[in-house]
Amino acid sequence: MMNRYSSRLSKLSQAFLNEKLKSAESYDRIAGYFCSSILEIAGESIENISGKARIICNSSLNPEDVMTASYANLKMKQEWCEFLPEEKYSNPSAVNRLKKLYELLSTKKLEVKVIPDEIYGLMHGKAGVITYKDGSKTSFLGSINETKSAFTLNYEMLWEDDSEESIQWVQEEFDFFWNNKYAVDLCDFVISDIDRISKRMIIPLKDWREDSEDAVPAVAVEEPVYRREFGLWEHQKYFVELAFREHKQKGGARLLLADMVGLGKTIQLAMSAKLMALYGDKPILIIVPKTLVYQWQDELKTLLDMPSAVWTGRFWVDENGYEYPVEGVKGILKCPRKVGIVSQGLITSKSEAAEMLKQMKYECVILDEAHRARRTNASKDPDIYKASPNNLLAFLNEITFQTRSLLLATATPVQINPIEVFDLIHALALPNDATKVLGDQYSLWRTKPQTGLDYISGSLKIPESEIEMWEIVRNPFPQKTENSRRIEIIRNQLDISDDTFVLPSKVYSEMRLSQKQKIKELYFDDAFVQNHNPYIRTVVRRTRKFLEETINKETGEYYLEKIGVELYGEKNEEALELKGYLYQAYTTAEEFCNLLSSRVKGGGFMSTLMLKRIGSTMLAGENTAKKMLAWTQEGKEKLKDLYEDIFDEDDEMDEDNRSEIKDLTTEEVLCLEKLVTVLKNNKDTDPKYAKTLDILMNGVEDEGPWKDKGCIIFSQYFDSAKYIAELLSIEIKDMPIGLYAGGEKSGIFEGGLFRKETKDNIKKAVKNHELKIIIGTDAASEGLNLQTLSTLINIDLPWNPTRLEQRKGRIQRIGQMSDKILIYNMRYKDSVEDKVHKKLSDRLKSIHEIFGQIPEVLEDVWIAMAQHDEKRAEEAINKIPKKHPFELKYELNIPKTEDWQSCTFVLDKTEKLKELMKGW
């Protein structure tokens, strides 16, 4: 029998839905759109059916998103959060509906699947099948969505038909979508978030500062990084909780974050900074390399909804790009936001503005890439205790007294000698209330740092006498938070609070025998020097290998989703041949390098620049030669002028690289002119471009075309990146090619034509699978999340090897759609890159295993090899210490973190923003 219903005549919620579901056994429904469908249906009568309801609905998921479960869950989570359910469902009736909905979903009485609307278009065909306890069925079809407004407010029409033919037809349609390979279950995050929002309570900032059991989650749970991204991993949450907990205690947080590249140091520091900014009244100062200042500002805004201002050298620029004019250098003290970001170049140049910064008091100071703060004589001065600090380390040693908390971050705390990590820890320990770091001025760890490091490394046997044992243990004595039962017992028995970091010498002599025994057990049985030394307490370091191979007992899953790496281009036969004009051009560049380096003392950086550029693309080599000639003719004196003109981003030059070349000799000029002539007359295709095109179109071995997998192509230089992007857009006509570079130089190439595009839009296009090939300079090597791409081509190999890790980290990250990423490293046979590759091949593996990251000092090897100085190259390699100066704390005692995701107490969003908008 067929029945027709109209909302003009009666409310369909009563006349149809509630009535028809009264004695229903099950309910299969093809609904409308994801968010409204699952939220509103619970307000009707599904809870009355004896079986279960199944709903299939639309989602804006991309078809490619659902091929990987983790990425499908992320996109569903993003779609849910963009709906802003915490704002839309805040009144009491909405909260009650959410509670009902959660009960249905959690008990599996209601099951929901979503299907990308790109597959079959929007689900305008709304239909359903109701099955009754006696086995009878009915079907319906109409315009009505599964929403409260559809059933109670809108004008809707609905047809019911209980004929076998109609029921079968609708059921077949439902089954087709429900069992479709593109249909995915509603993710756990959405279900748990429905429960969280139904219990959500807003707490004032004042109350949060005074007392909050969920202090960190209350701030973090509704941040963009949690709502629209993957959230924070367990190891990241651990550091944030540690930093904030210590910030609130005596001495503040004094930590060195030394995670491997790709494990998200920036977001850990940023989240810690936000918590501290909200907790205290003083400003936050963030010091980063110049190339990262705007990246930091962007991540604060997009991931944490956190306003900040960047100092340009002349004025402040806020998160919206608004400039704040100031009068003179004192204007640096007038930051318009609570968080100010400055370039390390400000410090390394010993500017007047840097001196001004020392006048302020801070809640927290953060130094990123902290290994740049180091002594200049780590390998030269025979007295290892006499540090000759560079400008950045000298500044750090002063600013440490001006801040409650100091957070340092670097993947490579040791470049040449383990004493460098002591220098960083020592800077943390200088204030009087920071004795928890290295103890007081008489501590062995402070007065004899090399001895302490030798104890830790095992190269020196730990003393066994009770007097020496007690001196090592007591100064500083660990806190209860060290996760050691013996430490807790000792502090409790001696009635020593966690605010006391140095125990008096006489305490040991006054102890009972049982207490002394506890100290000995801590020292010998618990391996105090290895497991509780000051470095372990201060340095937080995790490796990708450990996180990928260790199961979290709480979740039963690995701490980090493992992503394999397949590397190509490393074999000798895979190096590209230097033939014909290429060989002539490269040998001419080598001749220029030899001429300049033999004449200019300390000119290794500048003299080898030509070889680095021509090793990228021939176009880059030609441009460099032309610019050098023009630079000479115009009488420019500082090599920095040329450096800034060539590079995509102006990174701070090391103090050792600031030698000046006032002019070029006639012989050097003739050499450059010859190079320009050779390159200008060549009409052949650049070998690196030709190889790139071949890999994109045909792949390597049996992996298939890389263009289909999505590919990020890296070059150090903008002209190389632009050249390759333009040519690829002409050759690969059916695909747009992205160009991601510094400043305002990013955009899209299509058919050889370029249009400017913002970095944000390029990132969005990659995320939505609209852009599958992107060429980036090293401006793209940090901060970009490119999980939708699974292949990477390095057109040139950066002479700073950390860049390779950073580039790889763009795609080797959580949410990667493939279980393996593919990387191709290009180099010319018999070039400097090739020679260095051979020279380091035996050592790189062991160095990488020691540090989890190759130290930047290996850049010296490249320069030495370019200057044909193999002895100096060997010396640079041998400077690398053979053993880590500290163990991996996280891997010895894996800490348990709070459940941030289910936190129901949240800070008021308006209050948070108001606090962070305060100026200095």
Side-chain angles (χ1 to χ4, degrees):
M1 185 175 71
M2 182 180 292
N3 295 315
R4 299 177 181 87
Y5 298 85
S6 167
S7 61
R8 182 175 61 84
L9 301 175
S10 60
K11 286 188 176 182
L12 299 184
S13 58
Q14 298 300 324
F16 178 74
L17 189 65
N18 289 348
E19 186 66 29
K20 294 295 178 181
L21 291 179
K22 276 182 178 178
S23 57
E25 173 72 25
S26 64
Y27 178 38
D28 287 347
R29 177 74 154 106
I30 301 173
Y33 208 70
F34 166 55
C35 289
S36 58
S37 299
I38 68 161
L39 277 172
E40 302 293 355
I41 192 170
E44 306 304 332
S45 303
I46 290 179
E47 63 268 29
N48 294 326
I49 66 175
S50 57
K52 69 169 56 178
R54 299 187 297 176
I55 299 177
I56 182 77
C57 55
N58 263 147
S59 168
S60 62
L61 289 172
N62 187 290
E64 293 180 69
D65 292 335
V66 303
M67 294 296 99
T68 303
S70 61
Y71 207 74
N73 289 340
L74 170 66
K75 298 297 285 187
M76 204 183 307
K77 169 185 173 181
Q78 289 173 337
E79 185 176 2
W80 164 257
C81 292
E82 285 168 5
F83 180 65
L84 299 177
E86 64 273 18
E87 295 178 12
K88 288 184 170 60
Y89 294 90
S90 56
N91 62 67
S93 63
V95 168
N96 287 332
R97 283 204 308 278
L98 289 184
K99 289 178 179 177
K100 192 179 296 184
L101 175 59
Y102 174 71
E103 184 181 349
L104 292 171
L105 289 167
S106 61
T107 59
K108 300 292 185 181
K109 191 166 188 176
L110 171 63
E111 293 182 3
V112 178
K113 286 188 178 183
V114 299
I115 193 165
D117 53 28
E118 284 191 26
I119 302 295
Y120 304 104
L122 294 175
M123 286 186 168
H124 284 300
K126 315 299 190 299
V129 173
I130 301 173
T131 302
Y132 296 100
K133 296 176 181 178
D134 62 3
S136 62
K137 298 184 179 185
T138 190
S139 64
F140 62 91
L141 181 72
S143 61
I144 193 167
N145 271 313
E146 202 72 44
T147 65
K148 182 179 180 181
S149 59
F151 277 103
T152 59
L153 299 176
N154 300 346
Y155 171 67
E156 304 284 359
M157 299 170 68
L158 189 145
W159 287 257
E160 179 192 9
D161 190 344
D162 63 0
S163 69
E164 186 175 342
E165 181 182 12
S166 176
I167 292 167
Q168 184 178 348
W169 177 56
V170 176
Q171 190 68 55
E172 284 177 357
E173 291 297 306
F174 174 86
D175 291 344
F176 172 81
F177 290 116
W178 186 261
N179 299 314
N180 197 283
K181 69 176 182 178
Y182 291 106
V184 292
D185 293 327
L186 190 65
C187 69
D188 291 340
F189 173 87
V190 174
I191 297 172
S192 62
D193 202 51
I194 289 170
D195 182 42
R196 185 190 71 82
I197 294 172
S198 72
K199 302 171 182 175
R200 181 174 180 266
M201 292 183 63
I202 296 176
I203 54 175
L205 180 62
K206 181 177 179 293
D207 293 351
W208 176 81
R209 283 179 168 180
E210 291 176 354
D211 179 34
S212 173
E213 293 182 7
D214 300 310
V216 177
V219 174
V221 69
E222 291 185 1
E223 298 289 9
V225 68
Y226 250 83
R227 305 299 284 171
R228 296 195 288 270
E229 299 295 335
F230 282 98
L232 270 69
W233 310 339
E234 289 301 305
H235 71 279
Q236 294 174 317
K237 288 164 58 179
Y238 164 72
F239 178 81
V240 174
E241 289 178 1
L242 172 67
F244 189 55
R245 181 174 66 245
E246 295 208 356
H247 178 73
K248 294 186 289 183
Q249 296 174 357
K250 180 183 176 183
R254 300 265 156 179
L255 299 168
L256 171 57
L257 179 59
D259 284 347
M260 279 183 64
V261 165
L263 297 184
K265 289 188 289 296
T266 302
I267 189 61
Q268 296 177 71
L269 296 169
M271 180 65 84
S272 301
K274 183 163 188 176
L275 287 158
M276 294 175 189
L278 292 170
Y279 181 76
D281 295 321
K282 296 184 182 67
I284 306 289
L285 174 65
I286 300 175
I287 307 168
V288 302
K290 186 174 182 179
T291 52
L292 301 182
V293 290
Y294 288 107
Q295 178 188 304
W296 258 86
Q297 187 177 50
D298 180 63
E299 290 203 19
L300 290 176
K301 179 181 178 181
T302 58
L303 298 181
L304 297 178
D305 197 20
M306 186 174 180
S308 65
V310 167
W311 177 252
T312 68
R314 293 180 293 114
F315 50 81
W316 288 99
V317 180
D318 71 16
E319 69 284 351
N320 298 311
Y322 184 80
E323 298 176 357
Y324 294 78
V326 294
E327 291 185 14
V329 72
K330 288 186 177 180
I332 197 170
L333 302 181
K334 299 292 184 182
C335 180
R337 298 287 184 266
K338 197 164 189 179
V339 177
I341 306 170
V342 303
S343 162
Q344 283 185 7
L346 194 76
I347 315 300
T348 57
S349 62
K350 295 194 72 172
S351 68
E352 188 179 350
E355 292 300 309
M356 291 288 175
L357 289 174
K358 297 176 188 176
Q359 299 177 15
M360 295 280 293
K361 291 286 186 180
Y362 304 95
E363 198 71 29
C364 179
V365 172
I366 292 174
L367 176 62
D368 199 5
E369 304 295 342
H371 60 270
R372 296 185 179 194
R374 58 180 182 266
R375 59 174 69 192
T376 59
N377 59 338
S379 62
K380 300 171 187 174
D381 195 325
D383 187 346
I384 204 164
Y385 309 118
K386 291 182 179 178
S388 175
N390 65 8
N391 292 340
L392 189 56
L393 181 58
F395 178 86
L396 190 64
N397 288 337
E398 293 184 65
I399 203 74
T400 186
F401 291 97
Q402 301 297 107
T403 183
R404 179 184 181 92
S405 289
L406 180 59
L407 303 180
L408 311 179
T410 171
T412 52
V414 175
Q415 293 287 309
I416 297 174
N417 194 302
I419 200 67
E420 291 170 324
V421 76
F422 165 76
D423 289 336
L424 293 176
I425 302 300
H426 184 250
L428 297 172
L430 284 172
N432 292 332
D433 61 354
T435 52
K436 65 180 177 183
V437 180
L438 284 174
D440 63 22
Q441 59 183 321
Y442 306 109
S443 164
L444 171 141
W445 301 104
R446 193 189 292 262
T447 58
K448 297 180 180 179
Q450 189 58 51
T451 301
L453 289 167
D454 289 342
Y455 286 156
I456 295 168
S457 68
S459 58
L460 187 64
K461 186 179 178 182
I462 62 169
E464 297 187 1
S465 73
E466 289 189 50
I467 294 176
E468 290 176 290
M469 172 198 71
W470 178 238
E471 286 304 310
I472 290 173
V473 169
R474 76 169 185 87
N475 193 2
F477 191 76
Q479 295 173 284
K480 293 178 183 177
T481 50
E482 282 297 300
N483 199 24
S484 166
R485 179 64 179 152
R486 282 198 175 97
I487 291 172
E488 185 176 351
I489 291 172
I490 291 169
R491 278 194 174 271
N492 288 340
Q493 286 184 350
L494 298 178
D495 194 23
I496 301 169
S497 74
D498 252 9
D499 286 345
T500 301
F501 307 119
V502 178
L503 308 188
S505 297
K506 63 179 182 179
V507 168
Y508 187 77
S509 60
E510 296 172 354
M511 288 183 189
R512 299 191 301 272
L513 285 177
S514 61
Q515 293 172 332
K516 288 183 178 180
Q517 185 60 33
K518 282 283 187 297
I519 297 293
K520 291 176 182 177
E521 289 171 355
L522 175 66
Y523 185 70
F524 293 106
D525 298 349
D526 288 1
F528 179 90
V529 171
Q530 280 70 41
N531 298 331
H532 299 289
N533 66 73
Y535 295 88
I536 283 287
R537 298 179 222 164
T538 308
V539 179
V540 179
R541 179 177 179 81
R542 284 71 61 97
T543 65
R544 175 175 287 277
K545 184 175 185 290
F546 168 79
L547 294 173
E548 287 181 342
E549 295 179 359
T550 307
I551 291 178
N552 182 345
K553 293 179 181 178
E554 296 292 321
T555 64
E557 299 176 352
Y558 291 103
Y559 279 97
L560 198 61
E561 188 176 343
K562 187 168 185 177
I563 303 164
V565 179
E566 191 74 41
L567 195 58
Y568 298 100
E570 294 295 291
K571 300 174 185 174
N572 289 334
E573 60 269 22
E574 290 177 312
L576 301 175
E577 292 285 345
L578 279 167
K579 296 179 180 178
Y581 88 94
L582 282 176
Y583 179 77
Q584 186 181 3
Y586 199 86
T587 52
T588 304
E590 282 188 311
E591 182 184 348
F592 174 79
C593 169
N594 293 336
L595 288 169
L596 196 59
S597 59
S598 64
R599 181 174 66 84
V600 181
K601 184 180 179 182
F605 171 83
M606 197 61 196
S607 63
T608 55
L609 178 61
M610 177 64 73
L611 288 177
K612 293 174 75 173
R613 294 272 291 162
I614 204 169
S616 174
T617 59
M618 292 298 141
L619 175 71
E622 182 181 352
N623 287 346
T624 306
K626 287 178 178 177
K627 287 174 180 177
M628 279 187 168
L629 287 170
W631 162 63
T632 305
Q633 291 160 6
E634 294 168 11
K636 292 182 181 178
E637 292 187 354
K638 293 184 179 178
L639 66 97
K640 190 178 177 184
D641 294 331
L642 175 65
Y643 181 80
E644 290 178 354
D645 198 28
I646 288 172
F647 279 73
D648 176 51
E649 294 281 350
D650 175 24
D651 197 359
E652 282 85 31
M653 294 181 65
D654 191 275
E655 293 163 42
D656 297 334
N657 284 333
R658 290 182 178 168
S659 54
E660 294 184 358
I661 304 172
K662 294 188 176 180
D663 52 33
L664 297 178
T665 66
T666 302
E667 194 175 5
E668 289 161 358
V669 169
L670 289 173
C671 193
L672 287 176
E673 289 175 342
K674 177 184 175 183
L675 180 59
V676 171
T677 301
V678 171
L679 292 172
K680 188 164 61 174
N681 292 338
N682 167 67
K683 304 300 180 188
D684 295 338
T685 302
D686 188 289
K688 288 198 171 180
Y689 166 72
K691 186 64 178 177
T692 299
L693 180 62
D694 177 58
I695 294 171
L696 290 173
M697 301 302 289
N698 304 309
V700 183
E701 297 178 357
D702 300 323
E703 296 288 355
W706 286 24
K707 70 180 181 67
D708 297 339
K709 300 175 183 295
C711 186
I712 170 76
I713 301 166
F714 274 108
S715 172
Q716 297 175 84
Y717 310 110
F718 175 72
D719 47 5
S720 290
K722 182 181 178 184
Y723 162 74
I724 288 170
E726 184 175 1
L727 289 186
L728 286 176
S729 73
I730 295 171
E731 295 272 2
I732 309 175
K733 294 182 173 60
D734 59 336
M735 298 181 76
I737 308 296
L739 177 64
Y740 193 100
E744 303 296 321
K745 295 183 283 190
S746 299
I748 306 289
F749 274 102
E750 290 188 89
L753 300 177
F754 178 76
R755 72 172 188 273
K756 274 193 172 184
E757 195 56 85
T758 65
K759 292 188 183 77
D760 283 343
N761 285 343
I762 290 176
K763 288 187 280 189
K764 187 175 180 180
V766 173
K767 183 181 286 188
N768 294 333
H769 309 277
E770 297 161 5
L771 197 56
K772 284 199 157 188
I773 300 176
I774 180 172
I775 291 83
T777 63
D778 280 320
S781 67
E782 297 183 5
L784 264 182
N785 301 326
L786 302 175
Q787 293 98 328
T788 59
L789 311 178
S790 60
T791 67
L792 184 155
I793 297 173
N794 285 310
I795 295 295
D796 44 51
L797 303 181
W799 289 21
N800 176 346
T802 58
R803 286 293 188 191
L804 283 175
E805 288 287 332
Q806 289 164 342
R807 290 177 178 183
K808 184 180 69 169
R810 297 315 96 217
I811 61 175
Q812 190 186 21
R813 57 196 312 113
I814 191 168
Q816 168 54 242
M817 298 182 69
S818 300
D819 56 8
K820 179 175 67 174
I821 61 171
L822 312 177
I823 299 176
Y824 200 106
N825 291 333
M826 291 187 186
R827 70 187 193 282
Y828 287 119
K829 191 173 183 179
D830 296 326
S831 65
V832 177
E833 288 85 348
D834 193 34
K835 292 173 183 175
V836 171
H837 183 270
K838 292 174 183 175
K839 192 78 177 174
L840 293 178
S841 59
D842 293 334
R843 286 294 307 277
L844 279 182
K845 186 174 186 293
S846 59
I847 290 171
H848 191 274
E849 285 176 351
I850 291 171
F851 291 95
Q853 167 77 31
I854 303 170
E856 288 186 2
V857 74
L858 288 182
E859 186 168 347
D860 297 340
V861 178
W862 296 76
I863 294 176
M865 289 298 288
Q867 296 175 338
H868 305 288
D869 192 342
E870 291 200 24
K871 183 180 178 183
R872 184 155 59 91
E874 196 70 45
E875 289 174 353
I877 294 172
N878 291 333
K879 285 178 183 177
I880 306 301
K882 304 295 188 296
K883 185 157 183 168
H884 234 310
F886 49 84
E887 293 286 338
L888 304 179
K889 175 181 181 179
Y890 189 86
E891 299 177 14
L892 294 170
N893 289 305
I894 304 171
K896 184 180 178 181
T897 58
E898 291 185 60
D899 178 15
W900 294 11
Q901 206 158 280
S902 61
C903 180
T904 56
F905 295 94
V906 296
L907 274 181
D908 181 80
K909 190 174 182 180
T910 304
E911 246 193 316
K912 281 197 293 184
L913 187 60
K914 183 179 177 181
E915 181 66 27
L916 297 170
M917 292 288 282
K918 292 179 179 178
W920 289 9

